[in-house]
Amino acid sequence: MMNNSPSRPARRAELLAAAAATVTVVLWASAFVSIRSAGETYSPGALALGRLLAGSLTLGVICLLRREGWPPRSAWRGIAISGLLWFGVYMVVLNWGEQQVDAGTAALVVNTGPILIALLGARLLGDPMPPRLLAGMAVSFAGAVTVGLSMSGEGGSSVLGVVLCLLAAVTYAAGVVAQKPALGTASPLQVTTFGCLIGAVVCLPFAGQLVQEAAEAPASATLNMVYLGVFPTALAFTTWAYALSRTTASRMGATTYAAPALVVLMSWLFLGEVPGLLTLVGGALCLAGVAVSRSRARSRAAARAGDPGAVAEPRPERTADSAR
């Protein structure tokens, strides 16, 4: 009888990609706690620049030790676009926007990012959009909004804040979709390192603010800024690129919906913010949606093996910029 199970190397690669995505989401969720602390002292642009400088230094040292070298010429377009939009513009406008709106509005607007990734990925990269992915993203989005609304205080929203959060969502989505083709010819470490460097260059106009604020900032705020650069930026963006190189942009975008649930847990553990029932429900919805979006229909191989309950999943045509 023919063995239709995945080969051991393929299964190992799939597990490594899943582990990398998990590391990314956990570290991006942890950034919430550090931004809350550092953001009380550092302005949005200075915080973004300090974070990117710490990340660039960390990544540069790793690249030198690994002798990665320069990315191939074909990857530079995607690296430049993702560096400009995602590492540069996104980090500044997100920091700024979340100071202008309450948590519920931020959750509603910023969490449209994965939806935009799916739409752009389908249009520009040929990513498939199976019903499970769409259903999972809808459930997770509802959960993210529920978490945001439940954690909102008395703060209000401004038109500027909403525009900034929307710009953050758009630049995040565009950066991810631009990064995907670059990973076809450059390594995840190369794409992340040079994207981070470009983002730091974009934020150089805030250097004066950074120097001035760092001289007066408490050590805890500066350490949180360094943490943001080393872990949620250098490490998490590299593990993101590794996982993205092994799946579609749409599926990776859906994975980030687990972050709101982790933020609730970390806020409880590190900030003493006890979640209410509505917050817990929203977090559960986020995780349930991610589980649905990452699941697969029973394969054709199972159907051929004689399983009467198997459901064949249509296989999309492969494109030069998509991978499974």
mmCIF file of all heavy atoms in Angstrom, residues 63-111:
data_model
loop_
_atom_site.group_PDB
_atom_site.id
_atom_site.type_symbol
_atom_site.label_atom_id
_atom_site.label_comp_id
_atom_site.label_asym_id
_atom_site.label_seq_id
_atom_site.Cartn_x
_atom_site.Cartn_y
_atom_site.Cartn_z
ATOM 1 N N CYS A 63 24.472 38.744 11.532
ATOM 2 C CA CYS A 63 24.829 38.577 10.114
ATOM 3 C C CYS A 63 26.335 38.440 9.926
ATOM 4 O O CYS A 63 26.804 37.628 9.121
ATOM 5 C CB CYS A 63 24.311 39.765 9.308
ATOM 6 S SG CYS A 63 22.599 39.602 8.773
ATOM 7 N N LEU A 64 27.102 39.247 10.652
ATOM 8 C CA LEU A 64 28.560 39.156 10.550
ATOM 9 C C LEU A 64 29.063 37.805 11.047
ATOM 10 O O LEU A 64 29.953 37.196 10.426
ATOM 11 C CB LEU A 64 29.202 40.285 11.355
ATOM 12 C CG LEU A 64 29.063 41.694 10.767
ATOM 13 C CD1 LEU A 64 29.630 42.729 11.729
ATOM 14 C CD2 LEU A 64 29.766 41.777 9.413
ATOM 15 N N LEU A 65 28.503 37.331 12.140
ATOM 16 C CA LEU A 65 28.930 36.041 12.680
ATOM 17 C C LEU A 65 28.581 34.897 11.734
ATOM 18 O O LEU A 65 29.334 33.939 11.602
ATOM 19 C CB LEU A 65 28.292 35.808 14.051
ATOM 20 C CG LEU A 65 28.768 36.734 15.191
ATOM 21 C CD1 LEU A 65 27.979 36.463 16.472
ATOM 22 C CD2 LEU A 65 30.262 36.546 15.453
ATOM 23 N N ARG A 66 27.438 35.021 11.073
ATOM 24 C CA ARG A 66 27.001 33.974 10.150
ATOM 25 C C ARG A 66 27.501 34.190 8.726
ATOM 26 O O ARG A 66 27.286 33.358 7.856
ATOM 27 C CB ARG A 66 25.465 33.903 10.132
ATOM 28 C CG ARG A 66 24.858 33.365 11.424
ATOM 29 C CD ARG A 66 23.343 33.346 11.321
ATOM 30 N NE ARG A 66 22.888 32.607 10.154
ATOM 31 C CZ ARG A 66 22.684 31.290 10.117
ATOM 32 N NH1 ARG A 66 22.917 30.572 11.203
ATOM 33 N NH2 ARG A 66 22.255 30.697 9.022
ATOM 34 N N ARG A 67 28.166 35.346 8.497
ATOM 35 C CA ARG A 67 28.695 35.680 7.176
ATOM 36 C C ARG A 67 27.605 35.610 6.106
ATOM 37 O O ARG A 67 27.774 35.011 5.041
ATOM 38 C CB ARG A 67 29.849 34.744 6.822
ATOM 39 C CG ARG A 67 31.023 34.860 7.782
ATOM 40 C CD ARG A 67 32.164 33.946 7.387
ATOM 41 N NE ARG A 67 33.290 34.073 8.300
ATOM 42 C CZ ARG A 67 34.426 33.375 8.221
ATOM 43 N NH1 ARG A 67 34.563 32.484 7.239
ATOM 44 N NH2 ARG A 67 35.394 33.549 9.090
ATOM 45 N N GLU A 68 26.501 36.254 6.405
ATOM 46 C CA GLU A 68 25.353 36.225 5.492
ATOM 47 C C GLU A 68 25.616 37.000 4.201
ATOM 48 O O GLU A 68 25.162 36.620 3.140
ATOM 49 C CB GLU A 68 24.125 36.810 6.203
ATOM 50 C CG GLU A 68 23.460 35.868 7.185
ATOM 51 C CD GLU A 68 22.595 34.817 6.507
ATOM 52 O OE1 GLU A 68 22.014 35.112 5.445
ATOM 53 O OE2 GLU A 68 22.503 33.707 7.029
ATOM 54 N N GLY A 69 26.320 38.119 4.296
ATOM 55 C CA GLY A 69 26.576 38.903 3.095
ATOM 56 C C GLY A 69 25.367 39.717 2.668
ATOM 57 O O GLY A 69 24.360 39.810 3.373
ATOM 58 N N TRP A 70 25.463 40.322 1.475
ATOM 59 C CA TRP A 70 24.396 41.170 0.953
ATOM 60 C C TRP A 70 23.320 40.327 0.289
ATOM 61 O O TRP A 70 23.617 39.294 -0.306
ATOM 62 C CB TRP A 70 24.964 42.155 -0.062
ATOM 63 C CG TRP A 70 25.844 43.192 0.550
ATOM 64 C CD1 TRP A 70 27.164 43.055 0.851
ATOM 65 C CD2 TRP A 70 25.470 44.508 0.957
ATOM 66 N NE1 TRP A 70 27.640 44.202 1.429
ATOM 67 C CE2 TRP A 70 26.626 45.118 1.508
ATOM 68 C CE3 TRP A 70 24.282 45.230 0.910
ATOM 69 C CZ2 TRP A 70 26.618 46.409 2.003
ATOM 70 C CZ3 TRP A 70 24.266 46.521 1.398
ATOM 71 C CH2 TRP A 70 25.427 47.110 1.944
ATOM 72 N N PRO A 71 22.060 40.749 0.367
ATOM 73 C CA PRO A 71 20.995 40.024 -0.332
ATOM 74 C C PRO A 71 21.198 40.108 -1.840
ATOM 75 O O PRO A 71 21.819 41.055 -2.340
ATOM 76 C CB PRO A 71 19.719 40.783 0.076
ATOM 77 C CG PRO A 71 20.099 41.598 1.267
ATOM 78 C CD PRO A 71 21.557 41.908 1.117
ATOM 79 N N PRO A 72 20.692 39.137 -2.584
ATOM 80 C CA PRO A 72 20.795 39.206 -4.049
ATOM 81 C C PRO A 72 20.006 40.403 -4.587
ATOM 82 O O PRO A 72 19.081 40.902 -3.954
ATOM 83 C CB PRO A 72 20.193 37.882 -4.514
ATOM 84 C CG PRO A 72 19.399 37.387 -3.368
ATOM 85 C CD PRO A 72 20.043 37.901 -2.134
ATOM 86 N N ARG A 73 20.390 40.826 -5.748
ATOM 87 C CA ARG A 73 19.798 42.028 -6.344
ATOM 88 C C ARG A 73 18.281 41.911 -6.502
ATOM 89 O O ARG A 73 17.541 42.885 -6.316
ATOM 90 C CB ARG A 73 20.449 42.248 -7.712
ATOM 91 C CG ARG A 73 20.195 43.598 -8.325
ATOM 92 C CD ARG A 73 21.036 43.738 -9.576
ATOM 93 N NE ARG A 73 20.895 45.055 -10.182
ATOM 94 C CZ ARG A 73 21.525 45.441 -11.261
ATOM 95 N NH1 ARG A 73 22.370 44.596 -11.871
ATOM 96 N NH2 ARG A 73 21.363 46.660 -11.747
ATOM 97 N N SER A 74 17.822 40.718 -6.824
ATOM 98 C CA SER A 74 16.394 40.522 -7.076
ATOM 99 C C SER A 74 15.540 40.725 -5.825
ATOM 100 O O SER A 74 14.323 40.931 -5.930
ATOM 101 C CB SER A 74 16.152 39.114 -7.628
ATOM 102 O OG SER A 74 16.636 38.131 -6.718
ATOM 103 N N ALA A 75 16.154 40.658 -4.638
ATOM 104 C CA ALA A 75 15.387 40.770 -3.394
ATOM 105 C C ALA A 75 15.275 42.198 -2.892
ATOM 106 O O ALA A 75 14.473 42.482 -1.990
ATOM 107 C CB ALA A 75 16.030 39.900 -2.307
ATOM 108 N N TRP A 76 16.055 43.118 -3.462
ATOM 109 C CA TRP A 76 16.144 44.453 -2.895
ATOM 110 C C TRP A 76 14.846 45.250 -2.989
ATOM 111 O O TRP A 76 14.534 46.052 -2.104
ATOM 112 C CB TRP A 76 17.292 45.235 -3.540
ATOM 113 C CG TRP A 76 18.578 45.022 -2.816
ATOM 114 C CD1 TRP A 76 19.632 44.265 -3.213
ATOM 115 C CD2 TRP A 76 18.931 45.543 -1.532
ATOM 116 N NE1 TRP A 76 20.637 44.277 -2.270
ATOM 117 C CE2 TRP A 76 20.232 45.071 -1.225
ATOM 118 C CE3 TRP A 76 18.292 46.371 -0.610
ATOM 119 C CZ2 TRP A 76 20.895 45.384 -0.037
ATOM 120 C CZ3 TRP A 76 18.953 46.696 0.579
ATOM 121 C CH2 TRP A 76 20.228 46.210 0.846
ATOM 122 N N ARG A 77 14.081 45.044 -4.025
ATOM 123 C CA ARG A 77 12.832 45.802 -4.146
ATOM 124 C C ARG A 77 11.895 45.491 -2.971
ATOM 125 O O ARG A 77 11.352 46.398 -2.328
ATOM 126 C CB ARG A 77 12.147 45.480 -5.470
ATOM 127 C CG ARG A 77 10.841 46.242 -5.663
ATOM 128 C CD ARG A 77 10.157 45.854 -6.965
ATOM 129 N NE ARG A 77 8.885 46.539 -7.127
ATOM 130 C CZ ARG A 77 8.035 46.309 -8.110
ATOM 131 N NH1 ARG A 77 8.344 45.423 -9.056
ATOM 132 N NH2 ARG A 77 6.895 46.953 -8.183
ATOM 133 N N GLY A 78 11.700 44.203 -2.702
ATOM 134 C CA GLY A 78 10.829 43.812 -1.595
ATOM 135 C C GLY A 78 11.373 44.245 -0.254
ATOM 136 O O GLY A 78 10.621 44.668 0.633
ATOM 137 N N ILE A 79 12.704 44.143 -0.084
ATOM 138 C CA ILE A 79 13.323 44.561 1.178
ATOM 139 C C ILE A 79 13.144 46.057 1.383
ATOM 140 O O ILE A 79 12.817 46.521 2.492
ATOM 141 C CB ILE A 79 14.812 44.178 1.182
ATOM 142 C CG1 ILE A 79 14.976 42.660 1.240
ATOM 143 C CG2 ILE A 79 15.524 44.830 2.367
ATOM 144 C CD1 ILE A 79 16.402 42.184 1.087
ATOM 145 N N ALA A 80 13.359 46.829 0.322
ATOM 146 C CA ALA A 80 13.253 48.289 0.442
ATOM 147 C C ALA A 80 11.827 48.721 0.775
ATOM 148 O O ALA A 80 11.610 49.583 1.640
ATOM 149 C CB ALA A 80 13.722 48.948 -0.854
ATOM 150 N N ILE A 81 10.845 48.111 0.115
ATOM 151 C CA ILE A 81 9.454 48.487 0.369
ATOM 152 C C ILE A 81 9.035 48.099 1.779
ATOM 153 O O ILE A 81 8.412 48.892 2.512
ATOM 154 C CB ILE A 81 8.525 47.846 -0.674
ATOM 155 C CG1 ILE A 81 8.816 48.408 -2.066
ATOM 156 C CG2 ILE A 81 7.056 48.084 -0.308
ATOM 157 C CD1 ILE A 81 8.034 47.723 -3.175
ATOM 158 N N SER A 82 9.371 46.875 2.196
ATOM 159 C CA SER A 82 8.992 46.448 3.544
ATOM 160 C C SER A 82 9.747 47.253 4.603
ATOM 161 O O SER A 82 9.193 47.578 5.662
ATOM 162 C CB SER A 82 9.262 44.949 3.732
ATOM 163 O OG SER A 82 10.644 44.653 3.664
ATOM 164 N N GLY A 83 11.007 47.598 4.328
ATOM 165 C CA GLY A 83 11.764 48.414 5.277
ATOM 166 C C GLY A 83 11.176 49.800 5.441
ATOM 167 O O GLY A 83 11.063 50.318 6.560
ATOM 168 N N LEU A 84 10.788 50.406 4.319
ATOM 169 C CA LEU A 84 10.198 51.738 4.359
ATOM 170 C C LEU A 84 8.841 51.735 5.049
ATOM 171 O O LEU A 84 8.582 52.541 5.959
ATOM 172 C CB LEU A 84 10.057 52.269 2.930
ATOM 173 C CG LEU A 84 9.243 53.550 2.753
ATOM 174 C CD1 LEU A 84 9.913 54.727 3.448
ATOM 175 C CD2 LEU A 84 9.020 53.846 1.268
ATOM 176 N N LEU A 85 7.961 50.827 4.624
ATOM 177 C CA LEU A 85 6.584 50.850 5.102
ATOM 178 C C LEU A 85 6.391 50.182 6.452
ATOM 179 O O LEU A 85 5.744 50.744 7.350
ATOM 180 C CB LEU A 85 5.677 50.181 4.063
ATOM 181 C CG LEU A 85 5.594 50.869 2.697
ATOM 182 C CD1 LEU A 85 4.671 50.086 1.775
ATOM 183 C CD2 LEU A 85 5.110 52.295 2.844
ATOM 184 N N TRP A 86 6.930 48.957 6.601
ATOM 185 C CA TRP A 86 6.641 48.168 7.804
ATOM 186 C C TRP A 86 7.573 48.534 8.958
ATOM 187 O O TRP A 86 7.124 48.818 10.071
ATOM 188 C CB TRP A 86 6.733 46.683 7.469
ATOM 189 C CG TRP A 86 6.158 45.779 8.508
ATOM 190 C CD1 TRP A 86 5.407 46.139 9.592
ATOM 191 C CD2 TRP A 86 6.261 44.364 8.554
ATOM 192 N NE1 TRP A 86 5.041 45.029 10.317
ATOM 193 C CE2 TRP A 86 5.553 43.925 9.696
ATOM 194 C CE3 TRP A 86 6.885 43.414 7.748
ATOM 195 C CZ2 TRP A 86 5.451 42.577 10.047
ATOM 196 C CZ3 TRP A 86 6.780 42.077 8.099
ATOM 197 C CH2 TRP A 86 6.071 41.662 9.226
ATOM 198 N N PHE A 87 8.871 48.534 8.696
ATOM 199 C CA PHE A 87 9.811 48.852 9.768
ATOM 200 C C PHE A 87 9.829 50.347 10.084
ATOM 201 O O PHE A 87 10.014 50.741 11.228
ATOM 202 C CB PHE A 87 11.224 48.392 9.395
ATOM 203 C CG PHE A 87 11.419 46.909 9.440
ATOM 204 C CD1 PHE A 87 11.140 46.122 8.330
ATOM 205 C CD2 PHE A 87 11.886 46.291 10.588
ATOM 206 C CE1 PHE A 87 11.312 44.748 8.365
ATOM 207 C CE2 PHE A 87 12.071 44.916 10.631
ATOM 208 C CZ PHE A 87 11.781 44.149 9.523
ATOM 209 N N GLY A 88 9.669 51.169 9.058
ATOM 210 C CA GLY A 88 9.768 52.607 9.264
ATOM 211 C C GLY A 88 8.454 53.274 9.596
ATOM 212 O O GLY A 88 8.157 53.600 10.754
ATOM 213 N N VAL A 89 7.613 53.480 8.586
ATOM 214 C CA VAL A 89 6.373 54.239 8.762
ATOM 215 C C VAL A 89 5.450 53.577 9.780
ATOM 216 O O VAL A 89 4.901 54.238 10.673
ATOM 217 C CB VAL A 89 5.648 54.400 7.410
ATOM 218 C CG1 VAL A 89 4.316 55.134 7.601
ATOM 219 C CG2 VAL A 89 6.532 55.144 6.422
ATOM 220 N N TYR A 90 5.281 52.268 9.690
ATOM 221 C CA TYR A 90 4.351 51.556 10.564
ATOM 222 C C TYR A 90 4.658 51.780 12.036
ATOM 223 O O TYR A 90 3.754 52.070 12.841
ATOM 224 C CB TYR A 90 4.378 50.064 10.230
ATOM 225 C CG TYR A 90 3.691 49.185 11.245
ATOM 226 C CD1 TYR A 90 2.306 49.036 11.220
ATOM 227 C CD2 TYR A 90 4.414 48.504 12.220
ATOM 228 C CE1 TYR A 90 1.662 48.232 12.151
ATOM 229 C CE2 TYR A 90 3.782 47.691 13.137
ATOM 230 C CZ TYR A 90 2.414 47.561 13.110
ATOM 231 O OH TYR A 90 1.780 46.763 14.040
ATOM 232 N N MET A 91 5.924 51.646 12.424
ATOM 233 C CA MET A 91 6.254 51.736 13.846
ATOM 234 C C MET A 91 6.008 53.126 14.410
ATOM 235 O O MET A 91 5.595 53.287 15.556
ATOM 236 C CB MET A 91 7.703 51.306 14.077
ATOM 237 C CG MET A 91 7.931 49.826 13.874
ATOM 238 S SD MET A 91 9.502 49.268 14.556
ATOM 239 C CE MET A 91 9.432 47.528 14.128
ATOM 240 N N VAL A 92 6.241 54.151 13.593
ATOM 241 C CA VAL A 92 6.019 55.520 14.065
ATOM 242 C C VAL A 92 4.530 55.812 14.170
ATOM 243 O O VAL A 92 4.049 56.291 15.219
ATOM 244 C CB VAL A 92 6.700 56.542 13.129
ATOM 245 C CG1 VAL A 92 6.375 57.972 13.574
ATOM 246 C CG2 VAL A 92 8.208 56.340 13.111
ATOM 247 N N VAL A 93 3.772 55.520 13.111
ATOM 248 C CA VAL A 93 2.354 55.885 13.129
ATOM 249 C C VAL A 93 1.560 55.042 14.108
ATOM 250 O O VAL A 93 0.565 55.506 14.687
ATOM 251 C CB VAL A 93 1.740 55.810 11.714
ATOM 252 C CG1 VAL A 93 2.417 56.798 10.772
ATOM 253 C CG2 VAL A 93 1.792 54.400 11.142
ATOM 254 N N LEU A 94 1.985 53.801 14.346
ATOM 255 C CA LEU A 94 1.293 52.965 15.329
ATOM 256 C C LEU A 94 1.495 53.537 16.734
ATOM 257 O O LEU A 94 0.533 53.654 17.506
ATOM 258 C CB LEU A 94 1.791 51.525 15.263
ATOM 259 C CG LEU A 94 1.113 50.562 16.241
ATOM 260 C CD1 LEU A 94 -0.381 50.455 15.942
ATOM 261 C CD2 LEU A 94 1.763 49.192 16.201
ATOM 262 N N ASN A 95 2.747 53.882 17.074
ATOM 263 C CA ASN A 95 3.008 54.485 18.381
ATOM 264 C C ASN A 95 2.202 55.774 18.560
ATOM 265 O O ASN A 95 1.636 56.034 19.625
ATOM 266 C CB ASN A 95 4.501 54.805 18.531
ATOM 267 C CG ASN A 95 5.365 53.566 18.617
ATOM 268 O OD1 ASN A 95 4.869 52.474 18.874
ATOM 269 N ND2 ASN A 95 6.658 53.726 18.397
ATOM 270 N N TRP A 96 2.153 56.561 17.512
ATOM 271 C CA TRP A 96 1.459 57.851 17.558
ATOM 272 C C TRP A 96 -0.056 57.652 17.613
ATOM 273 O O TRP A 96 -0.756 58.269 18.421
ATOM 274 C CB TRP A 96 1.856 58.663 16.327
ATOM 275 C CG TRP A 96 1.390 60.094 16.314
ATOM 276 C CD1 TRP A 96 0.761 60.782 17.319
ATOM 277 C CD2 TRP A 96 1.522 61.005 15.221
ATOM 278 N NE1 TRP A 96 0.487 62.062 16.925
ATOM 279 C CE2 TRP A 96 0.943 62.231 15.643
ATOM 280 C CE3 TRP A 96 2.067 60.914 13.950
ATOM 281 C CZ2 TRP A 96 0.896 63.352 14.813
ATOM 282 C CZ3 TRP A 96 2.017 62.035 13.129
ATOM 283 C CH2 TRP A 96 1.450 63.232 13.556
ATOM 284 N N GLY A 97 -0.556 56.773 16.761
ATOM 285 C CA GLY A 97 -1.994 56.571 16.681
ATOM 286 C C GLY A 97 -2.588 56.044 17.969
ATOM 287 O O GLY A 97 -3.691 56.450 18.376
ATOM 288 N N GLU A 98 -1.879 55.132 18.641
ATOM 289 C CA GLU A 98 -2.425 54.542 19.858
ATOM 290 C C GLU A 98 -2.398 55.516 21.035
ATOM 291 O O GLU A 98 -2.971 55.209 22.083
ATOM 292 C CB GLU A 98 -1.693 53.245 20.181
ATOM 293 C CG GLU A 98 -1.988 52.139 19.180
ATOM 294 C CD GLU A 98 -1.602 50.762 19.677
ATOM 295 O OE1 GLU A 98 -1.065 50.661 20.795
ATOM 296 O OE2 GLU A 98 -1.850 49.784 18.947
ATOM 297 N N GLN A 99 -1.730 56.648 20.868
ATOM 298 C CA GLN A 99 -1.809 57.708 21.873
ATOM 299 C C GLN A 99 -3.031 58.595 21.659
ATOM 300 O O GLN A 99 -3.411 59.357 22.544
ATOM 301 C CB GLN A 99 -0.545 58.575 21.835
ATOM 302 C CG GLN A 99 0.710 57.862 22.317
ATOM 303 C CD GLN A 99 1.930 58.769 22.288
ATOM 304 O OE1 GLN A 99 1.868 59.911 21.823
ATOM 305 N NE2 GLN A 99 3.040 58.272 22.803
ATOM 306 N N GLN A 100 -3.648 58.497 20.472
ATOM 307 C CA GLN A 100 -4.747 59.383 20.109
ATOM 308 C C GLN A 100 -6.127 58.736 20.235
ATOM 309 O O GLN A 100 -7.135 59.436 20.257
ATOM 310 C CB GLN A 100 -4.573 59.854 18.651
ATOM 311 C CG GLN A 100 -3.243 60.499 18.349
ATOM 312 C CD GLN A 100 -3.089 61.839 19.027
ATOM 313 O OE1 GLN A 100 -4.021 62.635 19.089
ATOM 314 N NE2 GLN A 100 -1.908 62.101 19.573
ATOM 315 N N VAL A 101 -6.181 57.413 20.289
ATOM 316 C CA VAL A 101 -7.472 56.722 20.323
ATOM 317 C C VAL A 101 -7.507 55.741 21.480
ATOM 318 O O VAL A 101 -6.470 55.352 22.023
ATOM 319 C CB VAL A 101 -7.742 55.958 19.003
ATOM 320 C CG1 VAL A 101 -7.764 56.910 17.823
ATOM 321 C CG2 VAL A 101 -6.704 54.858 18.786
ATOM 322 N N ASP A 102 -8.721 55.333 21.855
ATOM 323 C CA ASP A 102 -8.833 54.337 22.908
ATOM 324 C C ASP A 102 -8.530 52.953 22.344
ATOM 325 O O ASP A 102 -8.405 52.767 21.130
ATOM 326 C CB ASP A 102 -10.223 54.377 23.554
ATOM 327 C CG ASP A 102 -11.347 54.121 22.557
ATOM 328 O OD1 ASP A 102 -11.237 53.154 21.798
ATOM 329 O OD2 ASP A 102 -12.324 54.896 22.543
ATOM 330 N N ALA A 103 -8.413 51.981 23.236
ATOM 331 C CA ALA A 103 -7.998 50.638 22.829
ATOM 332 C C ALA A 103 -8.999 49.985 21.881
ATOM 333 O O ALA A 103 -8.622 49.239 20.979
ATOM 334 C CB ALA A 103 -7.801 49.754 24.069
ATOM 335 N N GLY A 104 -10.294 50.256 22.095
ATOM 336 C CA GLY A 104 -11.289 49.643 21.231
ATOM 337 C C GLY A 104 -11.177 50.109 19.801
ATOM 338 O O GLY A 104 -11.235 49.309 18.863
ATOM 339 N N THR A 105 -11.004 51.417 19.609
ATOM 340 C CA THR A 105 -10.853 51.952 18.261
ATOM 341 C C THR A 105 -9.573 51.433 17.609
ATOM 342 O O THR A 105 -9.551 51.066 16.433
ATOM 343 C CB THR A 105 -10.845 53.483 18.293
ATOM 344 O OG1 THR A 105 -12.043 53.953 18.915
ATOM 345 C CG2 THR A 105 -10.745 54.059 16.893
ATOM 346 N N ALA A 106 -8.490 51.398 18.385
ATOM 347 C CA ALA A 106 -7.228 50.881 17.860
ATOM 348 C C ALA A 106 -7.368 49.428 17.421
ATOM 349 O O ALA A 106 -6.881 49.034 16.363
ATOM 350 C CB ALA A 106 -6.125 51.013 18.910
ATOM 351 N N ALA A 107 -8.062 48.622 18.244
ATOM 352 C CA ALA A 107 -8.255 47.213 17.897
ATOM 353 C C ALA A 107 -9.064 47.071 16.623
ATOM 354 O O ALA A 107 -8.752 46.243 15.763
ATOM 355 C CB ALA A 107 -8.953 46.477 19.050
ATOM 356 N N LEU A 108 -10.100 47.888 16.497
ATOM 357 C CA LEU A 108 -10.959 47.809 15.317
ATOM 358 C C LEU A 108 -10.197 48.161 14.049
ATOM 359 O O LEU A 108 -10.300 47.473 13.031
ATOM 360 C CB LEU A 108 -12.155 48.752 15.484
ATOM 361 C CG LEU A 108 -13.095 48.887 14.287
ATOM 362 C CD1 LEU A 108 -13.740 47.542 13.976
ATOM 363 C CD2 LEU A 108 -14.160 49.940 14.550
ATOM 364 N N VAL A 109 -9.400 49.235 14.091
ATOM 365 C CA VAL A 109 -8.742 49.737 12.883
ATOM 366 C C VAL A 109 -7.463 48.960 12.573
ATOM 367 O O VAL A 109 -7.274 48.471 11.444
ATOM 368 C CB VAL A 109 -8.438 51.243 13.021
ATOM 369 C CG1 VAL A 109 -7.738 51.753 11.770
ATOM 370 C CG2 VAL A 109 -9.719 52.033 13.268
ATOM 371 N N VAL A 110 -6.571 48.810 13.556
ATOM 372 C CA VAL A 110 -5.277 48.167 13.313
ATOM 373 C C VAL A 110 -5.452 46.703 12.938
ATOM 374 O O VAL A 110 -4.716 46.171 12.094
ATOM 375 C CB VAL A 110 -4.362 48.320 14.542
ATOM 376 C CG1 VAL A 110 -3.069 47.536 14.337
ATOM 377 C CG2 VAL A 110 -4.048 49.788 14.782
ATOM 378 N N ASN A 111 -6.434 46.030 13.527
ATOM 379 C CA ASN A 111 -6.614 44.610 13.248
ATOM 380 C C ASN A 111 -7.303 44.332 11.923
ATOM 381 O O ASN A 111 -7.638 43.181 11.630
ATOM 382 C CB ASN A 111 -7.368 43.941 14.390
ATOM 383 C CG ASN A 111 -6.461 43.622 15.558
ATOM 384 O OD1 ASN A 111 -5.549 42.801 15.443
ATOM 385 N ND2 ASN A 111 -6.679 44.287 16.682
#
